[in-house]
Amino acid sequence: MRKQNANISMAATLRKFEDLKNEKFNEEDQITVTSEEQIQVERSVQEIFRSFRLRCDIDSNLPKLLRWEHIQALKHWLTFLPPGYKSLDASRTWICYWILHSLSLLEVKLSDDLKDSLVDFLKRCQCSDGGFGGGPGQMAHTATTYAAVCALCIIGTQKAYDAINRDKLQQFLCDVKTEDGAFCMHRGGEIDIRGVYCALAVATLTNISTEKLFEGTAEWVISCQTYEGGFSGCPGLEAHGGYAFCGLASLLLLNKGHLCDVDALLRWIVNKQMKFEGGFQGRTNKLVDGCYSFWQGGAFPLIHSLLAQENKEPKWLLFDQGALQEYILICCQYPAGGLLDKPGRPRDIYHTCYALSGLSIAQHSIDGEKLILGSPENKLAKTHPIYNIGPDYVLRAGSYYSKLDIPGNEPSFL
């Protein structure tokens, strides 16, 4: 692991990349499609850093978070989506969440009229039989329910909180619960660990969680931890960054984190940070991807909390926070606003959200110390490592819903 410093200097960064030539991928004379793609990505990243070094000779304030450009792009997308987003008609609640969370990380305040308009739209996405669909009139889905509830918590007005029909939401979660403790993504739909995480997140945010609702869930989640140490979507499948986050976060929400083999998980996840690029890959032998800046990077604060329970609390987050910031700020920013997966790919709202979320995780240390690459103006707001919304939004929602009875009058599990 490269040394962590509270003040990450640009000169140290440039020397570091000169020293990283030996960290490039070695195909060992066995050329495959995957190895060729990996080599091409490294070439692109290397060329970007060469160009970046020349720019640093002119502007010592680099790297710079393109805050204004990102804000303008996000505000535009909140009203006018690019034509290519027609294919995401079933993800409109997700788009609301991605944009709202990104703007909150950039510390943008929304007008009351805009908040009301967004609440009205999200209410129309709520199904009469519980849960939220991806758009008005669409079938309820646990993933889009998570997105809608998080978006409403970010808006944070009483109108937003009251927009959620908690009784029917709890009934929807009961309907998609399986006998072995897992959750379907929708009624009659596929079963995977995302459903568990989304169900737990919305249930705990809105105070509808009960012991009965999540009976057997922790045991099912543990059955998804693989021999590699990560978590798969279902028992017996390959470990994956997004699923690993969902599994770990679910166990912590259930207060069952001790069931996880944290040493195996840590060994697996630290090896997902790419040595040359600095970003994370989602699976073994896959390419770096900006979205895993959060799905992998966001797991480290959760692992830290488990190690602290075992009196093994480390002094930092156990991944190279500076290298992740370098990858995001230097390789993943689109000049006109928005962030991307990797060099050569187009910008999009999804990667904008999760790259910024990962950047926030990398900037904020456990002890409150900031690790900001470049100017202090690059600092983002904090994100809650379990819910991926601002910690203040989590506290405000908890305060509001804790005053309301749990539907069904069952004792709270959390």
Side-chain angles (χ1 to χ4, degrees), residues 134-181:
Q138 296 181 16
M139 177 176 59
H141 192 283
T142 56
T144 51
T145 297
Y146 161 82
V149 170
C150 285
L152 289 166
C153 289
I154 292 171
I155 295 168
T157 61
Q158 181 170 342
K159 180 178 178 179
Y161 293 144
D162 292 342
I164 301 171
N165 188 324
R166 297 167 63 248
D167 293 86
K168 290 186 176 180
L169 175 57
Q170 187 188 64
Q171 184 57 55
F172 167 69
L173 296 181
C174 289
D175 290 345
V176 296
K177 170 87 179 293
T178 68
E179 292 182 358
D180 57 1

Side-chain angles (χ1 to χ4, degrees), residues 345-401:
R345 297 289 177 87
R347 63 178 177 172
D348 65 77
I349 301 171
Y350 169 83
H351 285 94
T352 298
C353 173
Y354 289 106
L356 289 175
S357 299
L359 182 60
S360 173
I361 291 288
Q363 290 179 345
H364 296 275
S365 189
I366 291 297
D367 58 5
E369 188 177 29
K370 306 294 188 300
L371 296 168
I372 310 299
L373 177 65
S375 168
E377 296 179 358
N378 287 348
K379 183 179 74 70
L380 295 174
K382 290 185 69 173
T383 189
H384 194 292
I386 288 183
Y387 298 103
N388 201 24
I389 61 176
D392 288 347
Y393 302 132
V394 176
L395 290 173
R396 291 173 193 166
S399 176
Y400 184 84
Y401 290 119

Side-chain angles (χ1 to χ4, degrees), residues 261-275:
D261 185 342
V262 66
D263 291 334
L265 174 60
L266 181 59
R267 182 175 60 250
W268 176 79
I269 201 168
V270 295
N271 283 294
K272 296 291 128 350
Q273 187 168 22
M274 309 298 279
K275 295 179 181 179

Side-chain angles (χ1 to χ4, degrees), residues 10-238:
M10 201 61 250
T13 300
L14 295 177
R15 287 196 302 271
K16 180 166 56 181
F17 279 96
E18 288 299 315
D19 296 338
L20 280 178
K21 293 178 180 178
N22 293 331
E23 302 291 2
K24 290 185 177 181
F25 177 74
N26 182 1
E27 73 277 17
E28 298 178 346
D29 297 323
Q30 298 295 321
I31 301 297
T32 66
V33 172
T34 300
S35 69
E36 289 179 335
E37 290 177 344
Q38 175 62 33
I39 292 169
Q40 182 57 49
V41 169
E42 289 181 356
R43 286 173 180 164
S44 298
V45 169
Q46 182 173 1
E47 184 56 36
I48 287 171
F49 276 106
R50 283 176 177 167
S51 173
F52 178 76
R53 179 165 190 163
L54 294 175
R55 289 161 51 212
C56 283
D57 292 338
I58 302 172
D59 187 351
S60 60
N61 292 318
L62 296 176
K64 178 183 178 182
L65 174 68
L66 303 178
R67 185 183 299 270
W68 185 87
E69 290 84 352
H70 298 325
I71 291 172
Q72 298 311 306
L74 288 162
K75 285 183 173 180
H76 179 76
W77 290 333
L78 199 54
T79 307
F80 302 101
L81 287 174
Y85 280 83
K86 290 180 180 179
S87 62
L88 293 182
D89 183 62
S91 298
R92 292 168 70 188
T93 47
W94 271 117
I95 292 170
C96 283
Y97 162 69
W98 294 332
I99 294 175
L100 288 174
H101 179 51
S102 297
L103 288 171
S104 73
L105 290 173
L106 293 162
E107 301 182 288
V108 174
K109 304 297 182 183
L110 303 179
S111 69
D112 291 338
D113 288 343
L114 181 55
K115 289 180 179 179
D116 285 344
S117 177
L118 288 166
V119 173
D120 290 339
F121 169 74
L122 291 167
K123 283 182 67 175
R124 291 192 289 119
C125 298
Q126 190 168 202
C127 300
S128 59
D129 54 354
F132 289 78
Q138 296 181 16
M139 177 176 59
H141 192 283
T142 56
T144 51
T145 297
Y146 161 82
V149 170
C150 285
L152 289 166
C153 289
I154 292 171
I155 295 168
T157 61
Q158 181 170 342
K159 180 178 178 179
Y161 293 144
D162 292 342
I164 301 171
N165 188 324
R166 297 167 63 248
D167 293 86
K168 290 186 176 180
L169 175 57
Q170 187 188 64
Q171 184 57 55
F172 167 69
L173 296 181
C174 289
D175 290 345
V176 296
K177 170 87 179 293
T178 68
E179 292 182 358
D180 57 1
F183 285 80
C184 301
M185 297 307 296
H186 57 85
R187 292 180 179 90
E190 74 275 24
I191 299 169
D192 70 47
I193 207 165
R194 295 172 303 158
V196 172
Y197 167 70
C198 292
L200 275 162
V202 301
T204 52
L205 280 171
T206 60
N207 190 32
I208 61 171
S209 178
T210 67
E211 185 173 0
K212 181 179 179 181
L213 179 58
F214 294 106
E215 184 178 2
T217 299
E219 291 74 15
W220 187 86
V221 170
I222 284 298
S223 72
C224 295
Q225 188 168 21
T226 77
Y227 73 94
E228 295 176 273
F231 287 76
S232 59
C234 288
L237 300 181
E238 180 186 13

